[in-house]
Amino acid sequence: MNKYLTSDEWSVIEERFDPGRQEASESIFSIGNGHMGQRANFEEKYSGETLPGSYGAGIYFPDKTRVGWWKNGYPEYFAKVLNSPNWIGIDIQVNGNHLDLAGCKTESFRRVLNMQEGVLSRSFVATMPAGEQIRVEALRFVSMANREIGVIKYSVTALKNLRLTLSPYIDGDVKNKDSNYNEQFWNILETESGKHDGFLLAQTRKLDFRVGFAMKYRCERNGRMIATEPTCVKTPKYTGNVIETELKEGEVATVYKYVAVATSLDYDKNELKAKACERVSAAYQVGFDALLEAHKAKWADIWSHSDIVIQGDVEAQQGIRFNIFHLNQTYTGQDERFNIGPKGFTGEKYGGSTYWDTEAYCIPFFISTAPSRVTRNLLIYRYKHLQKAIENAGKLGFTNGAALYPMVTMNGEECHNEWEITFEEIHRNGAIAFAIFNYIRHTEDEKYLADYGLEVLIGIARFWSQRATFSHDKGKYVVLGVTGPNEYENNVNNNWYTNTIACWCMDYAREALAKVKSAWPKRYAEIVAKTNFACEAETSRWLEICVNMHFPYDEKLKLFLQQEGYMDKEQTLAQDLDVSQRPINQHWSWDRILRSPFIKQADTLQGIYLFEEKYDTEFIKRHFEFYEARTVHESSLSPCIHSILAARIGKIDKAYELYLRTSRLDLDDYNHEVDEGLHITSMAGAWMAIVEGFGGKRVRNGKLFLNPLIHEKWQKYSFRILLKDHSLQVTVTKEYVSLLYKGPEWIVVNVYGDDKKVFPNETLKIERVAAPPPR
Amino acid sequence: MNKYLTSDEWSVIEERFDPGRQEASESIFSIGNGHMGQRANFEEKYSGETLPGSYGAGIYFPDKTRVGWWKNGYPEYFAKVLNSPNWIGIDIQVNGNHLDLAGCKTESFRRVLNMQEGVLSRSFVATMPAGEQIRVEALRFVSMANREIGVIKYSVTALKNLRLTLSPYIDGDVKNKDSNYNEQFWNILETESGKHDGFLLAQTRKLDFRVGFAMKYRCERNGRMIATEPTCVKTPKYTGNVIETELKEGEVATVYKYVAVATSLDYDKNELKAKACERVSAAYQVGFDALLEAHKAKWADIWSHSDIVIQGDVEAQQGIRFNIFHLNQTYTGQDERFNIGPKGFTGEKYGGSTYWDTEAYCIPFFISTAPSRVTRNLLIYRYKHLQKAIENAGKLGFTNGAALYPMVTMNGEECHNEWEITFEEIHRNGAIAFAIFNYIRHTEDEKYLADYGLEVLIGIARFWSQRATFSHDKGKYVVLGVTGPNEYENNVNNNWYTNTIACWCMDYAREALAKVKSAWPKRYAEIVAKTNFACEAETSRWLEICVNMHFPYDEKLKLFLQQEGYMDKEQTLAQDLDVSQRPINQHWSWDRILRSPFIKQADTLQGIYLFEEKYDTEFIKRHFEFYEARTVHESSLSPCIHSILAARIGKIDKAYELYLRTSRLDLDDYNHEVDEGLHITSMAGAWMAIVEGFGGKRVRNGKLFLNPLIHEKWQKYSFRILLKDHSLQVTVTKEYVSLLYKGPEWIVVNVYGDDKKVFPNETLKIERVAAPPPR
């Protein structure tokens, strides 16, 4: 952990320039709008360590995977998020010398990510090697109101008389840090440079995505447009203008740079130039101030749905807003072709592809903070990939329409970088099924099963029924050769989480079949025909497996074991680890980690979290105490689940500690890796830790349950959730819990075990219970 | 299995040209002399599918490994055997058109590998697209008498009048098929072209090995040197001559090409040109016939030590000679810096590096067929790598001088292509210790322990004592997260073979300590000081572990299990597999193989083979029947061990079937992969299958035991073994066993359980026992 940034309720603030932290800050101060995103790279030249990152949703490169010796079934490519042409560039020269913070004296540096307004700003005073001094103020945003538009305002104030050269540009000569074979991923097809504008057309290799970048800018001195004609610069991969001006001490030059990014996902390839130029001209006409206002208004709207307020704890407040902010920057739910990459638009690693994180973490967030169509879009995304999931299972030897969803995907095909994960982390199939259940229990939209869900559930249940095999030795069904969510194990047998969710999937598929059969018999018949479903034979095998599944259990400890043989490991605890050895993944060899008892992330506890209603508090407590002691939380997905369970069993300090860890994981760089990008998908877990952990929110069959706790550091906290698209605000103080509902008619909410009627627009106050009753 | 080649006792013969089998034949007809080797690529141009392969012992490239995401401890490079500049090239043009068998009509094609003489020859009649006809006869060898010399005789007979162009050359523009990042591995530093000679100096990238290639040739028409001056051709990577001549029908042109290959392993870099030119001039002076005679004489000598004669079964005879021939081509024991790569000089895969194959398979062959210094050299090779093995273990978290020998190495460093094997196949450490024991039991050279062996044994025992951990659950020591010799499992616990050999290593280290302490107390004290050995504490921990090691066991079946949980797998048998699915590694996804019960190679049986004296026949039979039924023998190292055990338990037909499989693995291409190269190290297993299997040869404490069986197809077989460097010939017929010993004084040999005195140079005949008594 790493206290560097200034705590603030609404902003992330960096108050000095530390080149050693530049890449980390580039991640943390990233901006995005669901369609495009940009790391906090500098506009001007920077020769220090930097990870340039400009990303477009849905634009990727199928990079050939790297393996020692190829074996059947290995993924052929790893989809890479692409670092796109640099559209933010504004080169600055002072008396002919480049402004470059790696070679200047920098004072009064301040970088601020205003999360309320979605604006990144930066200011500093630079003293050039030859002694010239300037003050720079830079501000930028990618518009939430117009997803193709990025805007920069960049001002230079002369602190001594000097000659200033400003060069706004777009540069297509970029590469990915993460490239398996050091290949270039882009071709630049066209550049054009006019006076005060420019255009660049880029094409991705292999898949031929096209992206058009159009720029227009206005350059002012002391508020008036500079009359001098700019020089146009155009090379095969670059378009820019150069403007020179003399500034006297105290004078200021400002560039307003507008960029439109139009992609072939949205337009015909031949239209891209026209569309991008049209869009940027429109933005230029509207102008900076009005664009900014529209952008802020959108953010105000987002916050009105999704904000969480915490009083009395700035760190906790900043942490949760940072998470909510980045989630909304990454995914807006407007485009059903997109999903949520683990690093969003903030880095290259994990390729911007879709993981089970979406279903297991992001859906619980969006289902409660966004209109239900957003979650539905995420589910349909998987429905559309069902055929590919069946093909994927086929490659691994499964038949009869068994579906194995990929561990990582862009278009439904498996595209991971590591074979062992691909083959073994089959639990992902479970999360995809669970998300359907979770959507329906929140929305009661059972028709979704008939329309889409059931086909997916059948494919998944078929997979499990083939993947589970019968052990004559045990007289039980077993699931061999898996990796659970805890990726610090490899190729284990009978991972408790996997076996649990496998059975749940088969049970739920049977339930769904029955529901659709009775409510939508015609559709049911269609699905049976389409999937060639042998109703009786298949469901009875599912039942047979579920009834006879093996779950490794330790009789003495009364514990379900993470996997077969887990107790053969040396039972050292996370607290026994030397601090200098953590995170162990940066200090230990991989085999040592695999052999150790240490858990990367919630595994058994992940399963208990999902199916909590099946277990009593003592059971949960026993498992929590055992597994939390062995968990090193080196996955970003880990601490939130532990935090929720800690709250569930009344360990509020532990819940708080783990909440901070999850919500400030990136801000405080717990795992020493934020330079690579932010952990976007796990940010949903920070939200879950408050709402489900402290708030105790559960939804069962469409009904809301609350069991709010409050940590002594907090005076009050408040969150909003959507119940069938109507907002409920929950406020918790040490004395009371209050509910304010904005729906059309009264609802029943269970608070601390008692059903309460909540009427629209009437605040209901309930006395807070210090130790909520066991559930 | 694949019957294509003609059976013959002394030769491998191909009687037609099949372009689809060219790469396979290139492997099978390879020639070598321990210092260099050459696939059976054509001298003339060939535009069909071909894997050019010219290799030099000890010359390699550290190719950066390919992994998805790097983790600590992964091998940094994979050592590649290098395809070197092409020294065999003789380009032929007929009336200006290239001779290229991919574009000609080819008749009377015949390729012969004469194993008795070590000569590759090829003849054919080619009809050119324009109708010209020639007959070609090509013959080549790499000299066993002079390891730096390769010689080619290439004759073209005109079957119609024509103009012939002959271009002998050396070409440095070569690449490896197996290159992780498609890099070139060679720089060519110098080329020179004279009349009738040429020189090329090559340098490997990264490690700067240098190799000088000098060529001289003589070109005759109808037996007389062609007087026309050749044209010299020299480019930055090529040196050659061009000679034109007119041939009338029936006339013949012949090139005698001599090449010397001098490497920086043997000479100062600045001397290479002088040395290579000097060597080639000397060879040219000696001339083709005399070089060939000297080469044949060396082969006659080799065969006089190592030949196995089988009467009545040409296939079996050809198979064993093929194996003995290639082993001797690959390793001569003359140079202690070299070792035996799994593909020798016949292909790129497995990199020509050292694997445990050397200790587990090749040493049993060489210890009985070559002077004992050859085996001693192989042991010292590992002794010299001890420090690197300690460093290697250190990288994985082991301390206190624990040594983990690499899975694959060139210079003592781990250089595998696959992390899972590197980390998990730690059983290799056991084979390295066992080889010391095996050497000593054959030679009674116990001083080897004091001089070298003990230090290695201490390092290995220390590794096991740290790698085994205590399971409180079982109250036993366990070895978690390994892969046994059966590589169709990954990351299993308590692999029986690994646990068995781990204990054996610790026991043997204790025994060796005691021996050295009593016999060489001064040296013992030195070793204790050098290794900082805590005698009492360390050995008592070793003992404690060995006494309390866990071995998975099935009570019902009375079977040691290959690993923890093996019986949870679906117990299908190899005979249940659809033939179209075999080899499964070419048809099944990797995870399906891992989850299956199928065994790639001997694992439990490998351990029983090594420590056979501990088990009675019933025990061996039970385990053989269980595991053989599940073994698919997709490792070349597998069938020989099964064959030996089958003989041991009297299953002579099974032993015979598995003997053929091992000895004709490449000739008949059982596993559909011979195009990649031959399985050199496992060839020793074919020898073992006859000598240890059918012959029942065992050596215990320097004493020989024989229990010969004979298969009904065989009239007689005969092998020679060296006992402390003196030859014993063993001949087995259906009626008798006869022994002829060439040592200085009588020895005792136990035959069928009875000790017999064998006097030098007197044939001892013993009646054969049809069913030898159980041992």
Side-chain angles (χ1 to χ4, degrees), chain B residues 316-576:
Chain B
Q317 175 67 76
Q318 185 183 41
I320 191 63
R321 285 199 173 124
F322 183 74
N323 289 281
I324 296 169
F325 176 72
H326 275 292
L327 279 163
N328 280 293
Q329 289 206 123
T330 305
Y331 185 72
T332 63
Q334 283 165 23
D335 194 324
E336 64 181 33
R337 296 168 301 177
F338 300 158
N339 207 289
I340 306 149
K343 298 231 175 285
F345 300 119
T346 70
E348 296 175 6
K349 206 174 171 187
Y350 305 113
S353 307
T354 307
Y355 287 65
W356 71 294
D357 304 32
T358 293
E359 282 77 13
Y361 293 82
C362 299
I363 280 183
F365 171 74
F366 286 112
I367 190 72
S368 289
T369 63
S372 49
R373 64 167 169 73
V374 170
T375 300
R376 194 177 158 99
N377 272 350
L378 288 170
L379 299 184
I380 289 176
Y381 176 94
R382 295 289 193 178
Y383 175 76
K384 288 184 175 164
H385 290 174
L386 176 59
Q387 194 47 44
K388 296 257 189 196
I390 291 171
E391 288 163 21
N392 185 42
K395 284 182 198 160
L396 307 187
F398 299 92
T399 56
N400 185 37
L404 176 61
Y405 277 90
M407 188 65 197
V408 181
T409 194
M410 279 289 186
N411 64 355
E413 290 166 9
E414 179 62 79
C415 60
H416 204 317
N417 227 11
E418 297 192 321
W419 65 266
E420 53 275 32
I421 298 284
T422 303
F423 287 148
E424 296 172 3
E425 260 200 70
I426 52 175
H427 67 79
R428 61 200 183 239
N429 246 9
I432 289 163
F434 191 86
I436 296 171
F437 164 76
N438 201 17
Y439 166 76
I440 293 172
R441 74 173 164 179
H442 276 80
T443 61
E444 297 186 307
D445 175 15
E446 294 196 330
K447 186 148 185 298
Y448 182 81
L449 285 178
D451 293 341
Y452 305 101
L454 183 57
E455 288 178 58
V456 171
L457 294 173
I458 289 173
I460 288 174
R462 281 172 160 174
F463 171 79
W464 290 120
S465 83
Q466 293 174 43
R467 189 61 170 72
T469 52
F470 189 71
S471 162
H472 284 273
D473 197 47
K474 293 196 160 63
K476 290 278 189 181
Y477 284 89
V478 291
V479 182
L480 306 179
V482 306
T483 295
N486 170 19
E487 291 171 337
Y488 286 176
E489 300 284 346
N490 187 19
N491 197 38
V492 301
N493 296 333
N494 296 310
N495 171 264
W496 184 80
Y497 174 82
T498 305
N499 289 17
T500 298
I501 205 156
C503 288
W504 178 86
C505 287
M506 290 183 275
D507 282 342
Y508 185 55
R510 286 192 303 116
E511 199 181 298
L513 278 159
K515 208 164 272 173
V516 175
K517 188 176 184 182
S518 79
W520 298 277
K522 202 173 137 219
R523 176 68 186 141
Y524 176 79
E526 265 172 40
I527 293 171
V528 166
K530 181 177 176 186
T531 58
N532 200 16
F533 191 66
C535 314
E536 187 48 44
E538 297 201 45
T539 54
S540 63
R541 175 163 167 94
W542 301 350
L543 183 60
E544 149 84 9
I545 293 171
C546 293
V547 170
N548 294 295
M549 180 63 87
H550 172 65
F551 296 95
Y553 187 74
D554 188 293
E555 290 289 347
K556 273 177 296 189
L557 299 171
K558 296 195 194 313
L559 277 179
F560 282 112
L561 294 177
Q562 179 178 278
Q563 73 232 17
E564 205 74 45
Y566 180 76
M567 292 309 294
D568 283 335
K569 296 193 163 201
E570 289 191 313
Q571 296 295 324
T572 44
L573 305 182
Q575 69 184 24
D576 301 331

Side-chain angles (χ1 to χ4, degrees), chain A residues 3 30 83 89 108 184 219 281 376 468 487 496 541 546 572 617 631 658 687 706 716 739 770:
Chain A
K3 279 282 163 221
S30 291
N83 177 29
S108 309
Q184 288 252 332
C219 200
S281 292
R376 192 178 160 98
E487 290 172 339
W496 185 80
R541 175 167 165 93
C546 293
T572 44
T617 302
T631 302
L658 290 163
W687 181 93
L706 295 170
K716 174 167 147 179
L739 307 180

Side-chain angles (χ1 to χ4, degrees), chain B residues 190-192 199-201 212-214 262 268-279:
Chain B
E190 184 184 345
T191 53
E192 205 170 284
F199 176 74
L200 183 147
L201 182 63
F213 296 83
D268 184 89
K269 284 172 185 165
N270 300 316
E271 283 186 328
L272 288 172
K273 186 172 179 182
K275 290 290 178 186
C277 292
E278 188 187 308
R279 294 286 183 275

Side-chain angles (χ1 to χ4, degrees), chain A residues 490-714:
Chain A
N490 188 18
N491 198 38
V492 301
N493 296 333
N494 296 309
N495 171 265
W496 185 80
Y497 175 82
T498 305
N499 288 18
T500 298
I501 205 156
C503 288
W504 178 87
C505 287
M506 289 184 277
D507 283 343
Y508 185 55
R510 285 193 304 117
E511 199 181 297
L513 278 160
K515 207 165 271 174
V516 174
K517 187 175 182 180
S518 79
W520 297 277
K522 201 174 139 220
R523 176 68 185 140
Y524 176 80
E526 264 171 41
I527 294 172
V528 167
K530 182 178 177 187
T531 58
N532 200 16
F533 190 66
C535 314
E536 188 49 45
E538 297 201 46
T539 54
S540 63
R541 175 167 165 93
W542 300 352
L543 182 60
E544 150 84 8
I545 293 171
C546 293
V547 169
N548 294 296
M549 181 63 87
H550 172 65
F551 296 96
Y553 187 73
D554 187 293
E555 290 289 347
K556 274 178 296 190
L557 299 172
K558 296 195 194 310
L559 277 180
F560 281 113
L561 294 178
Q562 179 178 276
Q563 74 231 18
E564 205 74 44
Y566 181 75
M567 293 309 293
D568 282 335
K569 295 194 165 202
E570 288 190 314
Q571 296 295 325
T572 44
L573 305 182
Q575 69 185 24
D576 301 331
L577 281 167
D578 188 327
V579 176
S580 72
Q581 303 287 294
R582 296 183 73 168
I584 57 173
N585 69 22
Q586 290 173 18
H587 295 91
W588 285 12
S589 75
W590 180 231
D591 72 310
R592 187 173 178 189
I593 291 174
L594 289 181
R595 285 182 283 116
S596 83
F598 298 113
I599 297 171
K600 184 183 179 191
Q601 82 176 81
D603 190 324
T604 311
L605 296 185
Q606 183 93 27
I608 292 174
Y609 161 73
L610 285 183
F611 306 112
E612 185 202 26
E613 62 271 32
K614 293 166 61 177
Y615 310 110
D616 64 31
T617 302
E618 278 311 304
F619 176 98
I620 298 173
K621 210 165 177 172
R622 218 159 48 233
H623 285 77
F624 180 86
E625 282 166 0
F626 183 84
Y627 286 109
E628 163 62 12
R630 287 154 177 82
T631 302
V632 290
H633 296 298
E634 291 177 16
S635 164
S636 64
L637 300 174
S638 182
C640 54
I641 299 297
H642 286 233
S643 177
I644 295 167
L645 289 180
R648 167 71 181 75
I649 57 176
K651 289 180 180 278
I652 190 163
D653 284 335
K654 191 76 193 170
Y656 179 74
E657 170 204 326
L658 290 163
Y659 160 71
L660 277 191
R661 187 174 175 118
T662 197
S663 73
R664 298 190 61 88
L665 176 74
D666 289 327
L667 283 172
D668 297 335
D669 199 8
Y670 277 78
N671 289 342
H672 306 165
E673 59 184 18
V674 76
D675 52 309
E676 296 176 349
L678 304 178
H679 298 85
I680 296 295
T681 43
S682 66
M683 289 181 169
W687 181 93
M688 289 153 69
I690 290 192
V691 176
E692 300 182 16
F694 294 104
K697 171 229 164 197
R698 303 288 185 274
V699 172
R700 306 236 155 93
N701 300 321
K703 179 169 159 190
L704 178 68
F705 294 74
L706 295 170
N707 261 299
L709 300 170
I710 187 165
H711 190 263
E712 58 179 6
K713 278 188 98 168
W714 298 356

Side-chain angles (χ1 to χ4, degrees), chain A residues 66-69 71-72 181 416-420 467 471 474 490-491 568 585-586 588 590 595, chain B residues 66-69 71-72 181 416-420 467 471 474 490-491 568 585-586 588 590 595:
Chain A
R66 271 196 309 219
V67 293
W69 286 318
K71 298 194 182 77
N72 289 327
Y181 294 87
H416 203 319
N417 228 11
E418 297 192 320
W419 65 265
E420 53 275 32
R467 189 62 170 73
S471 163
K474 292 198 161 63
N490 188 18
N491 198 38
D568 282 335
N585 69 22
Q586 290 173 18
W588 285 12
W590 180 231
R595 285 182 283 116
Chain B
R66 271 195 309 219
V67 293
W69 286 317
K71 298 195 182 77
N72 290 325
Y181 294 88
H416 204 317
N417 227 11
E418 297 192 321
W419 65 266
E420 53 275 32
R467 189 61 170 72
S471 162
K474 293 196 160 63
N490 187 19
N491 197 38
D568 283 335
N585 69 22
Q586 290 173 20
W588 285 12
W590 181 230
R595 285 183 281 114

